[in-house]
PDB file of all heavy atoms in Angstrom:
ATOM      1  N   LEU U  79      -3.986  12.092   1.999  1.00 37.00           N
ATOM      2  CA  LEU U  79      -5.078  11.485   2.733  1.00 37.00           C
ATOM      3  C   LEU U  79      -4.890  11.784   4.207  1.00 37.00           C
ATOM      4  O   LEU U  79      -3.899  11.392   4.809  1.00 37.00           O
ATOM      5  CB  LEU U  79      -5.091   9.988   2.520  1.00 37.00           C
ATOM      6  CG  LEU U  79      -5.374   9.547   1.087  1.00 37.00           C
ATOM      7  CD1 LEU U  79      -5.395   8.030   0.999  1.00 37.00           C
ATOM      8  CD2 LEU U  79      -6.672  10.113   0.580  1.00 37.00           C
ATOM      9  N   LEU U  82      -7.379  10.336   9.506  1.00 34.00           N
ATOM     10  CA  LEU U  82      -8.537  10.374  10.395  1.00 34.00           C
ATOM     11  C   LEU U  82      -9.685   9.750   9.661  1.00 34.00           C
ATOM     12  O   LEU U  82      -9.670   9.561   8.475  1.00 34.00           O
ATOM     13  CB  LEU U  82      -8.867  11.830  10.824  1.00 34.00           C
ATOM     14  CG  LEU U  82      -9.006  12.874   9.719  1.00 34.00           C
ATOM     15  CD1 LEU U  82     -10.408  12.862   9.168  1.00 34.00           C
ATOM     16  CD2 LEU U  82      -8.711  14.264  10.261  1.00 34.00           C
ATOM     17  N   ALA U 105      10.716 -14.196  -4.699  1.00 42.00           N
ATOM     18  CA  ALA U 105      10.962 -13.114  -5.625  1.00 42.00           C
ATOM     19  C   ALA U 105      11.387 -11.850  -4.933  1.00 42.00           C
ATOM     20  O   ALA U 105      11.250 -10.758  -5.436  1.00 42.00           O
ATOM     21  CB  ALA U 105       9.709 -12.842  -6.465  1.00 42.00           C
ATOM     22  N   SER U 112      15.635 -23.229   2.723  1.00 41.00           N
ATOM     23  CA  SER U 112      14.865 -24.465   2.641  1.00 41.00           C
ATOM     24  C   SER U 112      14.863 -25.101   4.042  1.00 41.00           C
ATOM     25  O   SER U 112      15.772 -25.852   4.364  1.00 41.00           O
ATOM     26  CB  SER U 112      15.464 -25.423   1.602  1.00 41.00           C
ATOM     27  OG  SER U 112      16.817 -25.646   1.919  1.00 41.00           O
ATOM     28  N   ALA U 147      -7.528  -9.892  16.674  1.00 98.00           N
ATOM     29  CA  ALA U 147      -7.572 -11.245  17.243  1.00 98.00           C
ATOM     30  C   ALA U 147      -8.917 -11.932  17.099  1.00 98.00           C
ATOM     31  O   ALA U 147      -9.037 -13.103  17.447  1.00 98.00           O
ATOM     32  CB  ALA U 147      -7.146 -11.206  18.697  1.00 98.00           C
ATOM     33  N   VAL U 171      -1.717 -17.737  18.635  1.00 98.00           N
ATOM     34  CA  VAL U 171      -1.407 -16.582  17.818  1.00 98.00           C
ATOM     35  C   VAL U 171      -1.438 -15.342  18.713  1.00 98.00           C
ATOM     36  O   VAL U 171      -2.386 -15.146  19.469  1.00 98.00           O
ATOM     37  CB  VAL U 171      -2.411 -16.402  16.669  1.00 98.00           C
ATOM     38  CG1 VAL U 171      -2.167 -15.086  15.927  1.00 98.00           C
ATOM     39  CG2 VAL U 171      -2.300 -17.581  15.698  1.00 98.00           C
ATOM     40  N   ALA U 183      10.296  -0.932   7.201  1.00 96.00           N
ATOM     41  CA  ALA U 183      11.548  -0.200   7.370  1.00 96.00           C
ATOM     42  C   ALA U 183      12.672  -1.208   7.655  1.00 96.00           C
ATOM     43  O   ALA U 183      12.419  -2.312   8.174  1.00 96.00           O
ATOM     44  CB  ALA U 183      11.433   0.796   8.520  1.00 96.00           C
ATOM     45  N   ASP U 192       3.959  -9.389   9.347  1.00 98.00           N
ATOM     46  CA  ASP U 192       3.054  -8.260   9.480  1.00 98.00           C
ATOM     47  C   ASP U 192       2.017  -8.347   8.351  1.00 98.00           C
ATOM     48  O   ASP U 192       2.364  -8.658   7.219  1.00 98.00           O
ATOM     49  CB  ASP U 192       3.830  -6.959   9.399  1.00 98.00           C
ATOM     50  CG  ASP U 192       2.939  -5.722   9.480  1.00 98.00           C
ATOM     51  OD1 ASP U 192       2.407  -5.278   8.430  1.00 98.00           O
ATOM     52  OD2 ASP U 192       2.773  -5.197  10.594  1.00 98.00           O
ATOM     53  N   ARG U 202      10.700  -1.648  -1.435  1.00 97.00           N
ATOM     54  CA  ARG U 202      10.474  -2.191  -0.100  1.00 97.00           C
ATOM     55  C   ARG U 202      11.164  -3.545   0.063  1.00 97.00           C
ATOM     56  O   ARG U 202      11.593  -3.885   1.157  1.00 97.00           O
ATOM     57  CB  ARG U 202       8.967  -2.333   0.127  1.00 97.00           C
ATOM     58  CG  ARG U 202       8.264  -0.994   0.288  1.00 97.00           C
ATOM     59  CD  ARG U 202       6.760  -1.143   0.352  1.00 97.00           C
ATOM     60  NE  ARG U 202       6.119   0.169   0.579  1.00 97.00           N
ATOM     61  CZ  ARG U 202       4.811   0.379   0.513  1.00 97.00           C
ATOM     62  NH1 ARG U 202       3.996  -0.630   0.266  1.00 97.00           N
ATOM     63  NH2 ARG U 202       4.328   1.566   0.737  1.00 97.00           N
ATOM     64  N   ALA U 221     -19.441   6.227  -7.374  1.00 98.00           N
ATOM     65  CA  ALA U 221     -20.361   7.242  -7.883  1.00 98.00           C
ATOM     66  C   ALA U 221     -21.146   7.834  -6.725  1.00 98.00           C
ATOM     67  O   ALA U 221     -21.173   7.295  -5.612  1.00 98.00           O
ATOM     68  CB  ALA U 221     -21.329   6.631  -8.896  1.00 98.00           C
ATOM     69  N   GLU U 268      -3.381  14.424  -9.930  1.00 96.00           N
ATOM     70  CA  GLU U 268      -3.412  13.988  -8.534  1.00 96.00           C
ATOM     71  C   GLU U 268      -4.761  13.324  -8.254  1.00 96.00           C
ATOM     72  O   GLU U 268      -5.819  13.750  -8.764  1.00 96.00           O
ATOM     73  CB  GLU U 268      -3.231  15.159  -7.575  1.00 96.00           C
ATOM     74  CG  GLU U 268      -1.937  15.917  -7.764  1.00 96.00           C
ATOM     75  CD  GLU U 268      -0.708  15.102  -7.379  1.00 96.00           C
ATOM     76  OE1 GLU U 268      -0.870  14.142  -6.612  1.00 96.00           O
ATOM     77  OE2 GLU U 268       0.382  15.427  -7.873  1.00 96.00           O
ATOM     78  N   GLU U 316      -1.338  -4.682  -8.678  1.00 91.00           N
ATOM     79  CA  GLU U 316      -0.719  -4.444  -7.388  1.00 91.00           C
ATOM     80  C   GLU U 316      -1.093  -5.609  -6.479  1.00 91.00           C
ATOM     81  O   GLU U 316      -2.222  -6.081  -6.499  1.00 91.00           O
ATOM     82  CB  GLU U 316      -1.257  -3.118  -6.832  1.00 91.00           C
ATOM     83  CG  GLU U 316      -0.690  -2.721  -5.478  1.00 91.00           C
ATOM     84  CD  GLU U 316      -1.290  -1.417  -4.978  1.00 91.00           C
ATOM     85  OE1 GLU U 316      -2.095  -0.824  -5.739  1.00 91.00           O
ATOM     86  OE2 GLU U 316      -0.982  -1.008  -3.874  1.00 91.00           O
ATOM     87  N   LEU U 328      11.090 -18.251   7.570  1.00 98.00           N
ATOM     88  CA  LEU U 328       9.674 -18.550   7.675  1.00 98.00           C
ATOM     89  C   LEU U 328       8.932 -18.231   6.387  1.00 98.00           C
ATOM     90  O   LEU U 328       7.828 -18.802   6.114  1.00 98.00           O
ATOM     91  CB  LEU U 328       9.070 -17.739   8.837  1.00 98.00           C
ATOM     92  CG  LEU U 328       7.599 -18.006   9.216  1.00 98.00           C
ATOM     93  CD1 LEU U 328       7.394 -19.458   9.646  1.00 98.00           C
ATOM     94  CD2 LEU U 328       7.176 -17.050  10.336  1.00 98.00           C
ATOM     95  N   SER U 342      -6.845 -24.450  -2.858  1.00 98.00           N
ATOM     96  CA  SER U 342      -8.055 -25.057  -2.310  1.00 98.00           C
ATOM     97  C   SER U 342      -9.284 -24.187  -2.483  1.00 98.00           C
ATOM     98  O   SER U 342     -10.418 -24.630  -2.264  1.00 98.00           O
ATOM     99  CB  SER U 342      -7.844 -25.315  -0.822  1.00 98.00           C
ATOM    100  OG  SER U 342      -7.815 -24.113  -0.065  1.00 98.00           O
ATOM    101  N   LYS U 347     -12.559 -17.613  -1.110  1.00 97.00           N
ATOM    102  CA  LYS U 347     -13.782 -17.526  -0.289  1.00 97.00           C
ATOM    103  C   LYS U 347     -13.649 -16.430   0.755  1.00 97.00           C
ATOM    104  O   LYS U 347     -14.608 -15.698   1.025  1.00 97.00           O
ATOM    105  CB  LYS U 347     -14.022 -18.884   0.411  1.00 97.00           C
ATOM    106  CG  LYS U 347     -14.491 -19.986  -0.540  1.00 97.00           C
ATOM    107  CD  LYS U 347     -14.665 -21.275   0.206  1.00 97.00           C
ATOM    108  CE  LYS U 347     -15.100 -22.424  -0.735  1.00 97.00           C
ATOM    109  NZ  LYS U 347     -15.221 -23.704  -0.003  1.00 97.00           N
TER     110      LYS U 347
END
Side-chain angles (χ1 to χ4, degrees):
L79 296 181
L82 52 84
S112 56
V171 174
D192 178 274
R202 290 172 177 172
E268 302 293 337
E316 181 181 357
L328 186 60
S342 70
K347 289 178 182 178

